[in-house]
Amino acid sequence: MSMQQPTGSVLTHLECSKTGETYDADSLQNLSRAGAPLLARYDLARLSLSPADVAAAGEPNLWRYRALLPVRDAAYIHCLGEGWTPLLPAERLRETLGMRHLYVKDESVNPTASFKARGMAVAVARADELGAREFAVGTAGNAGSALAAYTAAAGLVAHVAMPTDTPRAIIAECQALGADLALVEGLITDANAHVQKGVRESGWFDMATLREPYRIEGKKTMGYELFEQFDGALPDVIVYPTGGGTGLIGMWKAFDEMEQMGWIGSERPRMVSVQAAGCAPIVRAFENGETHAEPWQDAATMASGLRVPRAIGDFLILDALRASKGTAIAVTEEAMHAAWGEMASQTGLMVAPEGAATLAALHDLLSQGLVDRDDRVVLFNTGSGLKYLEAWFGAPGEGGPR
Ligand SMILES: *Cc1c(COP(=O)(O)O)cnc(C)c1O
């Protein structure tokens, strides 16, 4: 083994998101005894880290925040260029919408062309450091290719299960990256069930959304990046396409950490969850004033990242939406497809349908007066549209192939 290369991580322990019970952060962990996600906690009082320090180190990827991430020995980091994605002023879209401060955070430039790379980069490195060798994930698609990429880079094993109708580009990507790939009839929930036998009997480490503590840590870096990219401030509104909700929960956690470090006060952006009308458990629960979301029956949408009928972090998503005075909004397939072409042709970004969903939602938010034309608004484009050719060519309605 090479010499230790300390990252300066101030990780202290894990905490159950339901009960507050603490857990050891230096052994492999999945859910808490209460069956809830575990959240990483840091000694932020001990850390004297300013935004200027982060900027001065200048690392052009999410490891610029390594002191605030769980990996202790940098030898376990196999960076493929994840994070530090551009925040783009969407100038032509602004004009069309009569807005002054609209931006797109373009996550499609991440490794494996989606923001799943952020979570997997951190979680694979940390689990490798703690001794995991074989990893498993049931996924709607992009989490599988991200896991496959980071295990490939580290020389580890990925067992990936995903629905048979996952976009073919993602299937090809997983195969090429060397994952042990199973195609399963059904949805992400069925894919998750499929890998459980290996998790139980062969000791594969379960990397499913929020079932281990560190994908959320990778995703929280989006919140830190927004703060840096807005020159030490946060936007007014974040519009986020929500499946399992890791990114939303992660950014919300980042804002709390930033407040504890004195980077910000108690101000927060309004968080908006966007889901597809064909799978909108969070929107339904938000509208009904519920703290948990009932599973969605017969989930269907071309935005495969949003085809998540049941989210284990539902209560955390709903908490963040309400605490931020945000909202949740569902968009139809037709609106999503129309917004796909609109967003691409007015920004120059071949966005994923999940990213297009945020523009479809913005139209509704503006017409309902929930977002002001002067607000500083960030749309998250979470992946590349080049992975979704079947959806583009096969889509319903007038937004179809041209
Ligand atoms: C996974 C995924 C989402 C949903 O992200 P969560 O953080 O799980 O809510 C959105 N868009 C794309 C492209 C995805 O792959």
Side-chain angles (χ1 to χ4, degrees):
M1 272 314 269
S2 55
M3 293 239 304
Q4 275 236 336
Q5 307 162 32
T7 56
S9 168
V10 291
L11 176 70
T12 53
H13 63 281
L14 300 170
E15 195 178 287
C16 173
S17 55
K18 271 233 164 87
T19 66
E21 191 184 6
T22 61
Y23 289 75
D24 178 20
D26 287 296
S27 55
L28 290 170
Q29 304 277 5
N30 288 107
L31 294 178
S32 75
R33 275 180 284 273
L38 290 173
L39 300 175
R41 298 299 180 207
Y42 299 83
D43 188 352
L44 299 173
R46 182 164 65 105
L47 181 70
S48 105
L49 182 75
S50 71
D53 297 333
V54 172
E59 232 171 320
N61 54 66
L62 60 73
W63 299 103
R64 63 200 282 113
Y65 309 109
R66 58 179 62 202
L68 299 161
L69 293 171
V71 180
R72 298 199 194 277
D73 181 353
Y76 291 95
I77 297 172
H78 299 280
C79 184
L80 300 174
E82 54 278 359
W84 201 237
T85 58
L87 180 72
L88 303 167
E91 281 156 7
R92 290 190 55 233
L93 204 48
R94 281 179 187 177
E95 270 171 45
T96 307
L97 296 170
M99 294 184 71
R100 305 233 319 260
H101 308 288
L102 178 64
Y103 299 84
V104 178
K105 180 78 168 151
D106 185 23
E107 293 292 306
S108 72
V109 296
N110 275 299
T112 67
S114 93
F115 73 157
K116 291 295 192 300
R118 291 181 186 264
M120 287 298 183
V122 172
V124 170
R126 180 61 177 154
D128 184 10
E129 180 170 44
L130 297 178
R133 289 295 165 266
E134 296 197 36
F135 295 74
V137 74
T139 167
N142 280 324
S145 35
L147 175 64
Y150 290 97
T151 51
L156 301 164
V157 178
H159 303 278
V160 176
M162 55 178 64
T164 45
D165 60 353
T166 301
R168 280 167 56 82
I170 298 177
I171 295 175
E173 191 179 26
C174 286
Q175 291 171 335
L177 289 165
D180 163 33
L181 179 65
L183 297 176
V184 176
E185 287 300 329
L187 300 172
I188 182 173
T189 31
D190 305 288
N192 262 322
H194 185 89
V195 297
Q196 288 313 308
K197 188 170 186 286
V199 168
R200 271 194 319 273
E201 293 172 15
S202 310
W204 302 350
F205 187 62
D206 191 351
M207 296 287 273
T209 301
L210 292 172
R211 285 180 179 273
E212 59 69 50
Y214 298 122
R215 281 173 61 189
I216 187 177
E217 294 303 294
K219 289 255 189 109
K220 83 180 179 189
T221 58
M222 296 187 294
Y224 283 98
E225 289 180 20
L226 286 179
F227 175 79
E228 282 198 78
Q229 292 173 321
F230 278 106
D231 289 324
L234 294 174
D236 299 307
V237 181
I238 293 177
V239 188
Y240 182 84
T242 306
T246 331
L248 189 136
I249 300 166
M251 285 190 276
W252 193 246
K253 180 174 188 284
F255 301 149
D256 279 347
E257 292 174 357
M258 286 159 53
E259 185 175 359
Q260 286 177 54
M261 291 189 290
W263 292 17
I264 59 171
S266 59
E267 74 275 14
R268 296 289 184 275
R270 274 129 64 203
M271 308 297 283
V272 178
S273 266
V274 180
Q275 297 200 300
C279 180
I282 298 296
V283 178
R284 184 173 62 188
F286 182 83
E287 287 174 352
N288 294 342
E290 281 152 6
T291 52
H292 285 80
E294 287 298 311
W296 192 271
Q297 300 302 320
D298 303 320
T301 169
M302 69 174 131
S304 49
L306 304 186
R307 205 169 53 158
V308 181
R310 175 158 43 93
I312 190 168
D314 54 357
F315 62 105
L316 298 170
I317 303 170
L318 289 161
D319 273 358
L321 298 181
R322 293 189 176 116
S324 75
K325 302 189 168 56
T327 190
I329 191 159
V331 301
T332 64
E333 297 295 289
E334 288 74 16
M336 201 187 301
H337 204 281
W340 195 354
E342 183 189 8
M343 191 160 167
S345 63
Q346 299 213 13
T347 62
L349 304 170
M350 175 48 168
V351 297
E354 293 87 343
T358 66
L359 176 58
L362 180 60
H363 286 304
D364 294 347
L365 292 165
L366 287 169
S367 67
Q368 293 170 32
L370 292 170
V371 164
D372 206 84
R373 291 195 149 72
D374 289 334
D375 281 339
R376 296 201 297 182
V377 177
V378 176
L379 304 181
F380 263 89
N381 175 41
T382 45
S384 168
L386 293 177
K387 286 189 165 184
Y388 298 80
L389 297 184
E390 303 94 329
W392 177 261
F393 289 116
E398 56 191 283
R402 21 204 103 191

